[in-house]
Amino acid sequence: MERMGTAHSGVETDWRRHADERLTDAGYRRGGARTALLDLLDVQRCARTVLEIEDELRASDRTIGRASIYRVLDELEQLHLVQRIEVGQGIARYERLAPDHHHHHLACKDCGAVIPFTDDRLEDAIHRLSAGAGFEVTGHDVVLHGTCAACRAAAAASVSTA
Amino acid sequence: MERMGTAHSGVETDWRRHADERLTDAGYRRGGARTALLDLLDVQRCARTVLEIEDELRASDRTIGRASIYRVLDELEQLHLVQRIEVGQGIARYERLAPDHHHHHLACKDCGAVIPFTDDRLEDAIHRLSAGAGFEVTGHDVVLHGTCAACRAAAAASVSTA
DNA sequence: TTTTCTGCAAACTGTTTGCAAAGGC
DNA sequence: GCCTTTGCAAACAGTTTGCAGAAAA
C-alpha cells in the first residue's frame, strides 16, 4: 500500500517508513515524543529550528519536552535521517534527509527566511570535487546569503516611497 | 613601501592596509584591541573561533577582552573585511575576506579540524546560479563534511592494530 | 574636551545533562 | 520486570550588553 495524505509535493519519498525501519534496526523503541516528531518532520518542507518545531507541535496538541526534541533530532542525525544545517546566527535547523531529493538554501539576511533551491551544475561540481579530494566527504552544505525576492521588492518600494 | 613579514603564502593581498582604510573611512578610531585583532587576522591562514583568537592573543601578550573581540569582529564583518562561517557545533569562526582569494572548507567530523580548499568549477556553478536566481546573492558558503586524511589514516591504523 | 573604545561582569539564549517517573516490549 | 524513553529543571557555553574608566582625535 502506498502512503498518502502527506504534504510532499508529488514525489512520495517514503521517508517516514524508511525512518521507522532504520530506527527499529538500530534498536530504538517507539516512544510518543519520537513519533510526534517524526510525523512533523515527515510533513515539513524545509529546515526548521527547534523552537519552531516546538511551537508547531504545541499548536497541534502534541507538545513534547524540548530536551526530547534535541535528543531525538540527534539520534535521527546519527542515522542520517535528518540533516542539521546552520545558516547563521548560530541557530541550528533540521530537515529530513531524503535520498532522492537534495537541496540547498538561501538565507535572507533581511527577513531571516530560509528558502530551498536545487541546482544540478552545483551538485555535479561538488561530486567531482569530493571524488578528487584527499579526504572522505560524507556530506555537504551550501548556503547562499542574500536578499529574497519579497524583501527586495519591499526595499525597492520603500525607496520609491521615500 | 611594501609590507612584509606576514605569513601570507606568496600573494600579498594588502588586506591589512585595505582594512585600515575602510575602518578610517567608516569613521572608526584606532584602538589597541582592534589593532591587535587586525594584526592577528592578517597573519592567520584559516577560520578561527573566538576562543582560539583569544588564546593566540594571550600567547603573544596582547590579551584583549572577549567582548572586544566579538565587537570588533562584528564591525569587520559589517565592512566585509572578515567573513563569519559556521561549520557545525554552533561555534562561529571568522577569517579575513580577501577580494582576490576565496575558499571554502572541509570540516573533519573526527578531529574538528577546518581545512580550506578552492575549486573553480564549484565557484563557476555558484556564480551562474546566483545570476539566474530570483534573489540577490551577496555571498556564499560551502562546507564539506567528512574525514580528513590524518583521521582516515589513524582510523585505518587502529583497525589493522585491533 | 569630546567622543569613541575597551574591559569587566552580568545577562541572555540555544543546547546539553542528571535524574526520577512513565512507557514500550 | 527490565530497559528505554520522556519531561523537568538545572547546568553549560557561546554570545551580547550595560556601564565606568581609558584612550584617541
Side-chain angles (χ1 to χ4, degrees), chain B residues 31 62 103 116 146 151:
Chain B
R62 304 190 68 176
H103 66 239
C151 287

Side-chain angles (χ1 to χ4, degrees), chain A residues 5-20:
Chain A
T6 68
H8 301 163
S9 53
V11 190
E12 173 51 79
T13 61
D14 245 336
W15 176 84
R16 182 60 205 278
R17 191 185 303 172
H18 174 60
D20 279 338

